[in-house]
Amino acid sequence: MSAVPRRVLVLPGDGIGREIVPVAVEVMCAAADRAGIALSIDEGLVGGAAIDVAGSPLPAATLAAARRADAILLGAVGGPKWDSLPMRDRPERGLLGLRAGLGLFANLRPALSFAPLAGASSLKPALVADLDILIVRELTGGIYFGEPRGIDGNPGARRGVNTMVYTEAEIERIARVGFEAARRRAKRLCSVDKANVLEVTQLWREVVTTVSGDYPDVALSHMYVDNAGMQLVRAPKQFDVMVTTNMFGDILSDVAAMLTGSLGMLPSASLGADGCGMYEPVHGSAPDIAGKGIANPLATILSVAMLFRHSLDAPVPAASIERAVASALERGLRTPDLDGGAGTTRVGTREMADAVLAALAEDVQPEASA
Ligand code: IPM
Ligand code: MG
């Protein structure tokens, strides 16, 4: 066992977050045990759950605990119960406050197709077989955080305002994350913008192009966001790494998720400059299925794999978890969000997690990656 336990803060949040996070924590503990990594796990409140108990979507205690942690595992936030609250009090502010408060500017969203799920995609299997895209989304700037913002004026003549703003420094640091990731993969980076209309993304394109001078081994291309959305559903395998703004990345990552069969499959890592990281599924709190025990836990379990890889510097348990997820799918287990078909068995959250835990217990590390 390593001497100093690594601190993980667990924030289940709302809706299905409260079902998928506990089972993902079981997988995390099992993988850590096998790898001889000591974990110290704390739990905290965020989102609607925090509003109900502490009156704020991001209580000071949660942010403080997040700052002390080596890594954070988050479920999802939001739900109809809190939908009528003013913007600044909504559950989503808890998530956005964590991202901003911890400086987690780089959001990695890998869309990876698992072979047994090729038939679950809304696209033809041949278009998505072996799909492996990484979306690098800027996470602490752009229109999500730009000022001025708000709604002003008198009823009937009100005005809503948001501002999309990026500085050169913000663009440069996320571009570097994109280039570095591409360098470790197929060495192709597509920067997505709307430079034909928005000056802010004209600057984005200029800065990304300048940064590319430091990465002569990576082939850089640029694409307008409308075309990128179209290309993702037309011929997704043309992409290796995509780097884009906060809002465009939000939209394109949901599109990319569907290519892999279900939004319930996509993990994410949000990283800052100092190595701290937050890990969460790309999907939301799914209030329509919350409490039924049928939510797909795999996006959260795959987020745990990313947590081991990026925050705990532990690629071996990360790969074991990924193999265990593949094995559960190969055995034909499917939560209801994954289109079944012949030879598959419909299961709930608990059974899917149990299958992953069982596969993890039997996992044998391939010689080559030892
Ligand atoms: C996501 C989510 C969040 C976002 C919401 C819940 C604030 O959609 O992580 O993609 O828009 O970033
Ligand atoms: Mg989203």
Side-chain angles (χ1 to χ4, degrees), residues 77 92 95-96 99 109 137 144 246 250 254 280 282:
V77 295
E92 288 80 357
L95 178 56
L96 297 171
R99 290 172 179 173
R109 300 190 157 188
R137 169 187 177 193
Y144 271 53
N246 203 341
D250 178 46
D254 269 28
E280 50 172 317
V282 166

Side-chain angles (χ1 to χ4, degrees), residues 206-296:
E206 275 174 35
V207 173
V208 173
T209 303
T210 305
V211 173
S212 74
D214 291 344
Y215 299 87
D217 51 326
V218 175
L220 172 67
S221 60
H222 302 276
M223 205 178 268
Y224 298 139
V225 62
D226 48 352
N227 186 26
M230 190 265 280
Q231 295 297 336
L232 268 177
V233 293
R234 189 188 74 87
K237 283 196 258 180
Q238 69 186 282
F239 297 111
D240 176 26
V241 181
M242 303 174 92
V243 63
T244 191
T245 64
N246 203 341
M247 182 168 63
F248 296 164
D250 178 46
I251 299 166
L252 294 179
S253 59
D254 269 28
V255 176
M258 247 351 264
L259 305 177
T260 71
S262 165
L263 194 50
M265 291 301 300
L266 232 72
S268 83
S270 305
L271 308 173
D274 61 359
C276 174
M278 183 160 80
Y279 301 83
E280 50 172 317
V282 166
H283 63 69
S285 60
D288 52 325
I289 60 161
K292 297 186 178 157
I294 58 171
N296 183 350

Side-chain angles (χ1 to χ4, degrees), residues 67-335:
R67 291 211 164 100
R68 285 192 304 267
D70 294 304
I72 301 149
L73 180 66
L74 186 136
V77 295
K81 182 174 176 194
W82 307 282
D83 271 352
S84 55
L85 291 174
M87 192 65 83
R88 63 173 186 283
D89 301 326
R90 287 177 61 104
E92 288 80 357
R93 300 318 298 177
L95 178 56
L96 297 171
L98 278 170
R99 290 172 179 173
L102 301 172
L104 305 174
F105 69 93
N107 184 215
L108 310 183
R109 300 190 157 188
L112 202 75
S113 89
F114 285 85
L117 293 185
S121 169
S122 43
L123 296 193
K124 296 189 194 87
L127 287 182
V128 294
D130 304 318
L131 180 78
D132 181 358
I133 299 177
L134 176 65
I135 296 182
V136 177
R137 169 187 177 193
E138 199 291 325
L139 205 59
T140 52
I143 199 165
Y144 271 53
F145 294 95
E147 299 282 348
R149 65 185 297 156
I151 300 174
D152 55 34
N154 298 319
R158 290 181 303 162
R159 207 175 60 111
V161 184
N162 286 97
T163 304
M164 184 157 170
V165 52
Y166 274 113
T167 63
E168 287 186 304
E170 285 174 310
I171 301 167
E172 179 178 339
R173 67 179 180 177
I174 194 68
R176 288 195 185 280
V177 173
F179 280 108
E180 294 289 341
R183 186 169 258 182
R184 290 190 298 271
R185 297 171 39 109
K187 300 189 168 42
R188 285 181 291 119
L189 180 67
C190 178
S191 170
V192 177
D193 61 40
K194 190 71 186 176
N196 52 343
V197 178
L198 305 174
E199 287 84 352
V200 49
T201 65
Q202 196 182 344
L203 180 67
W204 177 281
R205 188 176 283 220
E206 275 174 35
V207 173
V208 173
T209 303
T210 305
V211 173
S212 74
D214 291 344
Y215 299 87
D217 51 326
V218 175
L220 172 67
S221 60
H222 302 276
M223 205 178 268
Y224 298 139
V225 62
D226 48 352
N227 186 26
M230 190 265 280
Q231 295 297 336
L232 268 177
V233 293
R234 189 188 74 87
K237 283 196 258 180
Q238 69 186 282
F239 297 111
D240 176 26
V241 181
M242 303 174 92
V243 63
T244 191
T245 64
N246 203 341
M247 182 168 63
F248 296 164
D250 178 46
I251 299 166
L252 294 179
S253 59
D254 269 28
V255 176
M258 247 351 264
L259 305 177
T260 71
S262 165
L263 194 50
M265 291 301 300
L266 232 72
S268 83
S270 305
L271 308 173
D274 61 359
C276 174
M278 183 160 80
Y279 301 83
E280 50 172 317
V282 166
H283 63 69
S285 60
D288 52 325
I289 60 161
K292 297 186 178 157
I294 58 171
N296 183 350
L298 296 181
T300 313
I301 290 172
L302 291 168
S303 299
V304 168
M306 295 187 87
L307 183 157
F308 276 107
R309 188 172 283 120
H310 294 282
S311 280
L312 303 187
D313 199 17
V316 171
S320 298
I321 292 172
E322 286 157 355
R323 278 193 299 273
V325 167
S327 148
L329 294 170
E330 272 150 27
R331 285 186 43 212
L333 301 191
R334 302 283 185 273
T335 42

